[in-house]
Each structure stands twice: as C-alpha cells, then as structure tokens.
Amino acid sequence: MCIFQERGRAGLNWHLKEPPVIALLVLLTLISTSAALKPEWKPGDYPMTEAGAERFVSDYNSTAEEVFYFSTEASWNYNTNLTKHNSQLQVAASLEEQAFTEAWGQKAKATFNDSLMETFNNPDLKKIIKDISVLGSANLPTAEREKCKCLQYNKRIVFQIGLRFEA
C-alpha cells in the first residue's frame, strides 16, 4: 500500500489505498531501470596493492559524491513537493544508491580481503575500505528493497504531516 495525494475542493487530501495498476507498472519500471547502476558509477578494476586501494577509495569518494547528490536531490524534491511522481523518483534514486553501495562494497570485499589489508601501512585506508564493505540494506533483493523503501517513505509522510487514517 502507498499513500497518494489528491486535490479536492478542500485542498489536498491524502489517502491510503492500493496503487492503481498503471502506477504500479510505472514504479516497477523505475525500479528495474534504477537497479541497474549507471556504467559511470560502477567500480573499475584495481590492483590488489595499497596503491590500488588508495585509488579505489579516491574513485569511490568522487563517485559517491555524485550518487548521494542525486539521491539527496530526489529526496529534497519529494519532501518539498509531495506527489506520486516525486515519491517514485525518490524510491528509484534510493534504490540506485543501494545498487551503488552493493557494487562498491562487493568490489571492496573481493579485491581487498583482510589478509591483504593487514599488509597496508595506512590504518585509515584499512578502516575506509572496511566501511565501504558494509552493505546494509543493499544485502536485500531488489523487490525487498523497494518494499522497505516504500514503507519508510509512507511512514515519513505520516509523521511529517500528521496524517490520520480511518480504518
């Protein structure tokens, strides 16, 4: 279930109801396209050395700036203009952010294992790579991520604007 906004005679009315089939298809299209990470946001190949790890962290940082800006912008657009369309864009951006986290986390785990990182001289580099390796909700399958995000956004709406729903 999702929350939808409708404009009525008394202003905006919010309803908790099942989404129409067309809206669901649009949402699934956005999700399926967002789950595929943009090629420029995917990690490259890095040598299994400390220098490779430093380049990996540098590339991660610059790419993360773009990905998180994109996600934050979608969130801002939604929070300042609560519409179905902006909600769908925010969910899609969030799922793309999770795809980014998953891709880079898996690359960090596969390329820089614990025994290799023990040979690194830079303790900050070790910590950063371990932090990148934590996947969080990116461990969930795409359908579960979408369901989780939809529930989070609906809950946020309810608490932000104090909606009350009748049973």
Side-chain angles (χ1 to χ4, degrees), residues 1 10 16 29 152:
M1 281 193 231
L16 182 64
T29 302
Q152 287 175 344

Side-chain angles (χ1 to χ4, degrees), residues 37 41 62-72 93 96-98 100-101:
L37 193 60
W41 288 352
S62 59
T63 307
E65 287 176 358
E66 292 178 35
V67 173
F68 291 116
Y69 176 83
F70 175 75
S71 181
T72 302
E96 191 157 32
E97 179 184 320
Q98 288 179 359
F100 165 82
T101 300

Side-chain angles (χ1 to χ4, degrees), residues 3 7 24 37 41-42 45 54 65 82 95 98 102 107 110 121 146:
I3 296 174
R7 187 167 294 279
L24 186 58
L37 193 60
W41 288 352
K42 291 182 180 180
D45 292 321
E54 288 173 356
E65 287 176 358
L82 299 173
L95 291 173
Q98 288 179 359
E102 178 182 20
K107 179 61 102 172
N121 295 321
E146 186 276 328

Side-chain angles (χ1 to χ4, degrees), residues 8-68:
R9 290 184 186 190
L12 295 177
N13 299 314
W14 291 88
H15 302 278
L16 182 64
K17 58 185 175 183
E18 294 293 327
V21 174
I22 293 174
L24 186 58
L25 290 175
V26 170
L27 181 61
L28 290 175
T29 302
L30 287 170
I31 290 165
S32 65
T33 58
S34 70
L37 193 60
K38 294 178 184 178
E40 62 270 20
W41 288 352
K42 291 182 180 180
D45 292 321
Y46 300 90
M48 297 172 73
T49 63
E50 189 164 359
E54 288 173 356
R55 198 177 100 222
F56 173 84
V57 167
S58 175
D59 290 351
Y60 172 86
N61 187 54
S62 59
T63 307
E65 287 176 358
E66 292 178 35
V67 173
F68 291 116

